[in-house]
Amino acid sequence: IHTWSSSLSSGINAEYGGDGIVVLGVEKRSVPKLQDERTVRKIHKLDDHVCMAFAGLTADARILVNMARVECQSYRLTVEDPVSMSYIARHIASVKQHFTQRPGLRPFGLSTLIVGFDYDGSAHLFQTDPSGTYHEWKANAIGRSGKTVREFLEKHYTDEIAASDEACIKLTVRALLEVVQSGGKNIELAVMRKGQALEILDIKTVEKL
């Protein structure tokens, strides 16, 4: 899915082996020498068990992330349980769809990949697009050259790879390297395991993969 002049994001969901794992990988754009690269983030934590990557307009993503975080906390206060993956994906898609049909508003200029775990420990990966549609996937890619990466994932994703945490992480890197020419230094990886906090892998770890 191409969303304006967007960078690339890829995600893999593997709940078949071990405790389950979800992996998000994004292409990092080069930043000016004097700019703090920590202010340029494509992966955002929505709740303890949910995170999101996007491809598209960063300003729009900031607003959508804030709205999703508020909804996660509102759900937790009302229901007294963590938000389910299907609920938050549907909520984000509904917000996007709302902005396509009201006069004076323009659609959100981004696609998203939402990953995390439900209360029962099952892993999920959802994708939403600017029109407000959403679907669940085992693996997917959005943004620039997303079709190329998705075809790579379709060719190489297997249940055997899904059974190995390390294999899932390596497949995400290999998929991104199909279109990211500058190597591992321009790839950011986030890994979430069941019952554990989101982990952003450092550059040295990514380059070793």
Side-chain angles (χ1 to χ4, degrees):
I1 292 176
H2 295 273
T3 309
W4 281 264
S5 178
S6 59
S7 58
L8 177 69
S9 298
S10 177
I12 291 180
N13 158 31
E15 57 176 331
Y16 303 103
D19 292 328
I21 185 175
V22 286
V23 184
L24 282 175
V26 299
E27 175 191 7
K28 293 196 300 183
R29 291 286 182 87
S30 58
V31 299
K33 185 177 181 180
L34 299 180
Q35 182 179 357
D36 187 348
E37 64 176 18
R38 293 175 299 177
T39 61
V40 183
R41 292 293 186 188
K42 291 287 185 179
I43 299 174
H44 296 272
K45 183 179 177 181
L46 303 183
D47 203 346
D48 292 339
H49 63 296
V50 187
C51 65
M52 183 187 90
F54 72 92
L57 301 179
T58 301
D60 286 12
R62 184 180 67 249
I63 300 301
L64 195 61
V65 165
N66 288 339
M67 295 173 72
R69 285 173 174 167
V70 169
E71 186 63 26
C72 286
Q73 296 309 310
S74 175
Y75 186 97
R76 189 183 289 270
L77 287 171
T78 303
V79 183
E80 298 185 354
D81 278 326
V83 68
S84 68
M85 291 301 301
S86 60
Y87 178 89
I88 194 61
R90 184 170 64 250
H91 174 77
I92 291 173
S94 297
V95 170
K96 287 184 173 185
Q97 197 279 331
H98 173 79
F99 275 71
T100 67
Q101 63 181 22
R102 292 297 179 92
L105 301 177
R106 65 163 177 81
F108 279 91
L110 72 157
S111 295
T112 67
L113 292 176
I114 307 157
V115 301
F117 293 87
D118 273 343
Y119 187 71
D120 63 1
S122 58
H124 298 276
L125 163 64
F126 286 91
Q127 177 254 328
T128 72
D129 64 30
S131 69
T133 60
Y134 72 101
H135 302 93
E136 185 167 7
W137 297 74
K138 293 182 179 179
N140 196 13
I142 55 175
R144 181 181 62 83
S145 303
K147 182 179 179 181
T148 301
V149 177
R150 191 180 307 113
E151 289 173 349
F152 179 90
L153 291 170
E154 289 173 352
K155 183 177 180 181
H156 294 89
Y157 182 96
T158 64
D159 288 347
E160 288 73 23
I161 286 180
S164 167
D165 291 2
E166 184 179 356
C168 284
I169 297 171
K170 286 184 176 181
L171 179 59
T172 304
V173 174
R174 288 173 56 204
L176 289 170
L177 288 176
E178 287 291 297
V179 295
V180 178
Q181 303 298 327
S182 50
K185 67 179 182 179
N186 273 16
I187 291 177
E188 183 176 4
L189 280 184
V191 177
M192 183 180 287
R193 295 177 173 86
K194 184 170 65 177
Q196 299 183 27
L198 177 70
E199 178 187 4
I200 304 293
L201 303 186
D202 57 45
I203 294 177
K204 291 182 179 180
T205 303
V206 174
E207 290 182 336
K208 287 179 180 178
L209 295 170

